[in-house]
Amino acid sequence: MFLASLYTRSPAYIRAMAELYGFQVQHAAKVVFGERRSFETEMDKLDEERGTETDGLRRDELFSIVKDLSSFELSVDRKVGLRGMAVTDTLTQIFMDMNWSIGTCSDQHLVTSDNPIVRLTPPNEYHPIYGDGAFANKRTYVTVPLSASVILEMRWSSPVGKGMLHVPKQRGRLYNRQRAVFSERYLYASRNDIGIRTLGQKHRKPGLNISVSGLGNSMEMKIKRRLD
């Protein structure tokens, strides 16, 4: 449960869930304003609620504006991403069902980040519509550093071996690169290392992103900590 909540409470996950909410809002807007009939229905409701009457010319003008969402900017309160924490219990059970192994890396200093739990799935498992199945995909694996020299791996496949597994230096570097790629803002290390600083500078943009296809021209979306 700690690991599951560590993932769902991370700044990266909360932002990504806020982005997903923004995409849902845009999809709903396209359904309402994408065709004239649905637009007229919504305008009738609005006029009824306000006790107003919008004439045909004004409606023509409004419809020409709203049907092109790319002319709008959508600001989403980051706090709506907290809704994503509802999956914590489900994710807890998934982690419990996976096979766990502990690796020790004596040749490479391991770092962590503000998004320490990283899930990776082979690229050929990705479907353009259905995605990659997230944590339930049987080929996915999850890693989280426990210290500067110890890391936890969770997989659906059988463990590589029993006991503490040795992590080669090259794989330790891979783990660090994964932490840098998926971090939101910060990398954390217990030593001042030029290689770690360089890694952080190389991967400065947030790596956990939500992408949705089929929206066509969409609004520019900004996730804000506080809406004006």
Side-chain angles (χ1 to χ4, degrees):
M1 182 171 286
F2 169 75
L3 293 175
S5 61
L6 186 63
Y7 182 80
T8 58
R9 291 181 62 189
S10 70
Y13 178 79
I14 292 171
R15 175 190 49 76
M17 291 300 99
E19 287 182 355
L20 180 59
Y21 175 79
F23 284 122
Q24 292 171 342
V25 169
Q26 294 195 52
H27 174 71
K30 280 189 175 291
V31 171
V32 173
F33 304 123
E35 61 175 27
R36 190 61 187 244
R37 180 182 299 177
S38 57
F39 170 79
E40 291 291 345
T41 300
E42 292 302 316
M43 286 300 301
D44 290 342
K45 291 180 181 178
L46 186 62
D47 279 344
E48 184 177 353
E49 290 173 1
R50 293 182 174 180
T52 58
E53 185 176 345
T54 307
D55 62 44
L57 289 177
R58 180 56 177 162
R59 289 193 176 200
D60 289 341
E61 181 183 0
L62 290 174
F63 182 69
S64 66
I65 295 174
V66 299
K67 71 178 181 180
D68 181 14
L69 296 182
S70 62
S71 60
F72 293 88
E73 177 183 290
L74 176 63
S75 295
V76 180
D77 190 332
R78 183 176 173 274
K79 291 193 293 292
V80 302
L82 293 172
R83 300 176 182 183
M85 292 178 63
V87 305
T88 301
D89 287 345
T90 301
L91 189 56
T92 298
Q93 188 59 54
I94 289 176
F95 285 169
M96 289 295 293
D97 291 341
M98 298 176 83
N99 293 301
W100 294 25
S101 59
I102 300 293
T104 59
C105 187
S106 57
D107 303 322
Q108 174 63 48
H109 179 82
L110 299 177
V111 302
T112 188
S113 76
D114 52 7
N115 184 31
I117 296 185
V118 170
R119 176 188 67 86
L120 289 173
T121 305
N124 59 359
E125 292 286 309
Y126 180 80
H127 190 281
I129 297 177
Y130 302 108
D132 62 5
F135 290 93
N137 188 308
K138 299 305 179 182
R139 295 189 64 192
T140 198
Y141 73 97
V142 181
T143 61
V144 54
L146 303 180
S147 75
S149 60
V150 179
I151 193 163
L152 168 66
E153 280 199 24
M154 294 179 280
R155 297 176 180 268
W156 289 107
S157 56
S158 300
V160 178
K162 295 183 178 180
M164 302 284 279
L165 307 177
H166 174 67
V167 177
K169 183 180 182 69
Q170 197 62 29
R171 189 162 184 84
R173 288 180 173 176
L174 173 63
Y175 288 144
N176 285 352
R177 188 160 63 250
Q178 291 171 355
R179 232 53 55 185
V181 168
F182 287 95
S183 66
E184 183 74 359
R185 295 181 65 190
Y186 300 110
L187 285 180
Y188 303 104
S190 58
R191 65 172 62 169
N192 188 3
D193 186 285
I194 183 64
I196 295 172
R197 291 203 304 270
T198 302
L199 187 65
Q201 289 293 326
K202 183 178 180 181
H203 302 282
R204 299 184 68 176
K205 293 183 178 181
L208 184 61
N209 295 306
I210 296 291
S211 61
V212 176
S213 60
L215 282 177
N217 293 332
S218 57
M219 307 179 198
E220 180 182 357
M221 184 162 54
K222 293 184 178 181
I223 308 300
K224 297 186 175 183
R225 290 180 176 272
R226 183 176 178 180
L227 295 181
D228 297 330

